[in-house]
C-alpha cells in the first residue's frame, strides 16, 4: 500500500521529458481516434450504400408456364395475372421494401423443358419462388425439384389432387371442390347417365377415376369412357359413339388437343340430347368453340361476368392491361393470388428466407376478388366456388357455392 502511494507521488511530479512524452501520446491518441472515426464513417457510408443497393435489388420470382406446345392460352392467362400482381405489389412498396420481378420461362408443355426451366431459374437467377406450371405432367416433373432445391412451388391450376409436400402450395381447385360440386348438380338437373370423354393424359385419367365412384354414389351410371389421342381432326366417329350411348351428361376433360370436338358435336346435333359437364372450362376456351357449345356447365373459382363489384373491378383492371380482345379467366385470378400470398408470407416472416416463408404461408388467409382464400396446413386453398354455364361468348354464374374446403387426398407428415 505504501509503495503504491509513493509511486503515485513521484509520478505526479512534472518534468520536461515526461510532459513532452505525455503530449506526444495525447496527439497520437487523438490522431488514432480521428482515423478510426473517419474509417467508421466511411464504412458506414459504404454499408449504407450497400444496404440501399440491396433494398433496391428486385426480388426475383420464376414462372414456368406454357407459351408453346398446345396449351399456351393458359400460360398467357397466368402471365397476365402475375404481371398484374407484380405491378400492384410494386406500386404499394414491393415486398419488404423491395420490388418484385417475374422471370418467365417457356415449359413448351413438356416435362423435360419444365424441369430444365426450373433448374435454370433457381440456380442461375436465384429466384425466391417458382409459379407454375399448367399441366399435371409438368407439375409431376417440378415437385421433386422444388423439394431438392427447397424452393416454394406455387401451383395455381385445378388438378387431380394427391400431391402434398412442404414446398408445394396449390391455389387451384382439387376434385372435391370441382367434381364434388359439379356431379350432384348435373345428376339432379340433367340426368344420371354419363359418358366420360377426355384426353389421354394424366389429369383426365385421374379425374375420371375419381368421378366414376362419385357418380355411382349419386345413383348414376357411366355408360362409356373414351380418351382421345390428340391427333384427331374429324370427330365424327366419336360423336356417333357418344350419341349411341344415350347418355344424358357428357363429362368432358379435354384441353388444347381435341377442343374442336365441341364445335363439331354441336353442328352434328349431339348437344341437343346431351349436356356437357366441362372440367376446367374457362372464358379463355370459349373462342375456340366459335359460338358453339352453349349451356355447357362447369364449376370455377371465379366468373369474369360476375356482377360482384370486386370481381368487376379486377376484370376491368385485367382487361385494361391485356391486349384488346384477350379473355379474362379464373386462371388470371388464381395466378394473381400466388404473388399476393408470397408477399403476405414474406412480410409475416419478416425476412426473405424460403423456409421461413413456407412456414408463414401455411394457414395464411389472403383477400381475393371473390373473397378470402385460406391456405391450409396441407398447403391447399379453401376458397369460394361457383357453378357457371356458357352463354354467348361468356361464362355466366348459375349458383354461388360458398367457401369449399379442399380435400386433396393427401396430408403433410405431422400436420
Amino acid at each position: 500500500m505504501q509503495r503504491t502511494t509513493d509511486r503515485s507521488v513521484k509520478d505526479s511530479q512534472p518534468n520536461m521529458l515526461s510532459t513532452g512524452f505525455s503530449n506526444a501520446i495525447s496527439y497520437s491518441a487523438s490522431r488514432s481516434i480521428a482515423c478510426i472515426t473517419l474509417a467508421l464513417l466511411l464504412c458506414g457510408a459504404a454499408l449504407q450504400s450497400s444496404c440501399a443497393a440491396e433494398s433496391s435489388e428486385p426480388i426475383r420470382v420464376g414462372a414456368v408456364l406454357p407459351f408453346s406446345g398446345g396449351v399456351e392460352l393458359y400460360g398467357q392467362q397466368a402471365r397476365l395475372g402475375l404481371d398484374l400482381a407484380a405491378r400492384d405489389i410494386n406500386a404499394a412498396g414491393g415486398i419488404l421494401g423491395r420490388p418484385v420481378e417475374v422471370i418467365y420461362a417457356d415449359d413448351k408443355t413438356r416435362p423435360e423443358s419444365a424441369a430444365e426451366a426450373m433448374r435454370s431459374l433457381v440456380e442461375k437467377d436465384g429466384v425466391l419462388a417458382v409459379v407454375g406450371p399448367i399441366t399435371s405432367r409438368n407439375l409431376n416433373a417440378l415437385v421433386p425439384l422444388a423439394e431438392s432445391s427447397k424452393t416454394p412451388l406455387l401451383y395455381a391450376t385445378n388438378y387431380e389432387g394427391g400431391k402434398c409436400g412442404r414446398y408445394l402450395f396449390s391455389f387451384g381447385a382439387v376434385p372435391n371442390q370441382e367434381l364434388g360440386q359439379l356431379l350432384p348438380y348435373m345428376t339432379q338437373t340433367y340426368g344420371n347417365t354419363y359418358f366420360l370423354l377426355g384426353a389421354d393424359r394424366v389429369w383426365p385419367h385421374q379425374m375420371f377415376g375419381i368421378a366414376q365412384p362419385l357418380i355411382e354414389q349419386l345413383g348414376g351410371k357411366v355408360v362409356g369412357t373414351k380418351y382421345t389421342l390428340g391427333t384427331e381432326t374429324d370427330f365424327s366417329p366419336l360423336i356417333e359413339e357418344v350419341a349411341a350411348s344415350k347418355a344424358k351428361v357428357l363429362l368432358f376433360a379435354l384441353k388444347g388437343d381435341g377442343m374442336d370436338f365441341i364445335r363439331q358435336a354441336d353442328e352434328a346435333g349431339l348437344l341437343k340430347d346431351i349436356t356437357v359437364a366441362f372440367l376446367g372450362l374457362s372464358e379463355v376456351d370459349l373462342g375456340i368453340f366459335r359460338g358453339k357449345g352453349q349451356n355447357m356447365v362447369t364449376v370455377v373459382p371465379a366468373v369474369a361476368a360476375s356482377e360482384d363489384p370486386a370481381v368487376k373491378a379486377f376484370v376491368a383492371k385485367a382487361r385494361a392491361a391485356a391486349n384488346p380482345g384477350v379473355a379474362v379467366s379464373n386462371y388470371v385470378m388464381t395466378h394473381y393470388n400466388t404473388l399476393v400470398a408470397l408477399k403476405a408470407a414474406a412480410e409475416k416472416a419478416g425476412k426473405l428466407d424460403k423456409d421461413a416463408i413456407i412456414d408463414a404461408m401455411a394457414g395464411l388467409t389472403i383477400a381475393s376478388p371473390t373473397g378470402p382464400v385460406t391456405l391450409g396446413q396441407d398447403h391447399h386453398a379453401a376458397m369460394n366456388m361457383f357453378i357457371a354455364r356458357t352463354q354467348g361468348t361468356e361464362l355466366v354464374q348459375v349458383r354461388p357455392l360458398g367457401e369449399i374446403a379442399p380435400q386433396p387426398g393427401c396430408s403433410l407428415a405431422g400436420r
Side-chain angles (χ1 to χ4, degrees):
M1 184 71 179
Q2 184 67 43
R3 189 175 297 168
T4 303
T5 304
D6 290 346
R7 186 177 177 183
S8 297
V9 171
K10 183 178 180 181
D11 289 345
S12 67
Q13 297 175 359
N15 58 57
M16 292 299 294
L17 181 61
S18 64
T19 300
F21 183 65
S22 191
N23 287 342
I25 291 174
S26 176
Y27 175 71
S28 176
S30 297
R31 284 197 64 187
S32 296
I33 291 169
C35 289
I36 291 169
T37 301
L38 179 60
L40 288 172
L41 287 172
L42 291 172
C43 286
L47 183 61
Q48 186 175 11
S49 175
S50 174
C51 290
E54 183 180 335
S55 66
S56 63
E57 182 73 19
I59 297 168
R60 292 178 171 179
V61 177
V64 178
L65 296 167
F67 300 118
S68 61
V71 293
E72 50 268 29
L73 280 175
Y74 313 108
Q76 294 295 345
Q77 290 282 291
R79 181 170 190 155
L80 176 56
L82 291 171
D83 285 347
L84 280 175
R87 188 182 70 183
D88 287 352
I89 288 169
N90 290 340
I95 298 176
L96 296 175
R98 290 171 59 182
V100 176
E101 177 188 0
V102 182
I103 303 175
Y104 293 96
D106 182 7
D107 70 14
K108 303 176 184 177
T109 320
R110 296 203 308 264
E112 302 81 8
S113 298
E116 182 182 349
M118 182 163 178
R119 287 191 196 96
S120 179
L121 287 167
V122 172
E123 295 170 6
K124 295 181 181 178
D125 296 299
V127 298
L128 180 66
V130 171
V131 181
I134 295 292
T135 66
S136 291
R137 288 179 68 210
N138 285 8
L139 177 63
N140 291 342
L142 296 193
V143 167
L145 293 178
E147 297 284 340
S148 63
S149 66
K150 298 185 177 181
T151 299
L153 179 62
L154 313 181
Y155 187 55
T157 305
N158 56 307
Y159 87 111
E160 64 277 4
K163 296 179 181 65
C164 290
R166 174 166 173 77
Y167 296 95
L168 175 66
F169 288 85
S170 170
F171 291 79
V174 290
N176 78 292
Q177 295 168 310
E178 187 178 15
L179 270 175
Q181 312 306 313
L182 180 60
L183 294 178
Y185 176 80
M186 297 303 296
T187 301
Q188 181 180 12
T189 309
Y190 297 103
N192 66 353
T193 51
Y194 285 77
F195 194 103
L196 314 185
L197 176 60
D200 192 16
R201 294 183 177 180
V202 172
W203 175 65
H205 276 278
Q206 296 202 19
M207 291 297 278
F208 288 171
I210 295 166
Q212 180 144 351
L214 288 177
I215 291 168
E216 291 170 356
Q217 289 171 21
L218 292 165
K221 183 179 180 182
V222 175
V223 296
T225 302
K226 195 79 174 183
Y227 296 97
T228 64
L229 300 177
T231 56
E232 299 89 347
T233 55
D234 179 6
F235 289 96
S236 299
L238 187 53
I239 291 167
E240 292 172 4
E241 184 177 349
V242 175
S245 75
K246 303 296 183 183
K248 289 298 181 183
V249 178
L250 175 62
L251 186 61
F252 193 78
L254 278 174
K255 303 292 277 186
D257 301 335
M259 289 283 274
D260 198 43
F261 173 91
I262 294 296
R263 180 187 63 80
Q264 294 184 32
D266 197 339
E267 291 176 350
L270 176 66
L271 304 189
K272 294 176 182 177
D273 302 314
I274 194 168
T275 303
V276 177
F278 203 127
L279 296 177
L281 181 64
S282 72
E283 288 85 351
V284 74
D285 300 311
L286 302 185
I288 298 171
F289 307 139
R290 306 180 203 173
K292 305 295 182 178
Q294 296 297 305
N295 297 311
M296 298 188 297
V297 184
T298 192
V299 172
V300 288
V303 180
S306 170
E307 290 300 316
D308 182 274
V311 176
K312 289 181 74 172
F314 180 81
V315 171
K317 180 170 64 174
R319 285 180 174 154
N323 293 325
V326 171
V328 175
S329 72
N330 64 81
Y331 287 88
V332 177
M333 191 193 73
T334 56
H335 284 83
Y336 182 95
N337 289 344
T338 62
L339 291 193
V340 173
L342 184 65
K343 172 182 168 68
E347 293 180 347
K348 180 181 175 183
K351 54 185 175 180
L352 296 173
D353 175 81
K354 291 179 180 181
D355 280 302
I357 286 170
I358 285 166
D359 291 336
M361 197 175 290
L364 186 70
T365 297
I366 61 168
S368 85
T370 59
V373 173
T374 300
L375 291 160
Q377 295 302 315
D378 56 18
H379 295 184
H380 287 70
M383 56 190 166
N384 289 322
M385 301 294 294
F386 306 86
I387 296 175
R389 64 181 175 85
T390 53
Q391 179 178 295
T393 58
E394 295 182 324
L395 281 180
V396 296
Q397 183 175 305
V398 174
R399 179 187 299 173
L401 297 169
E403 183 180 84
I404 308 294
Q407 296 171 9
C410 57
S411 62
L412 285 173
R415 294 189 178 181

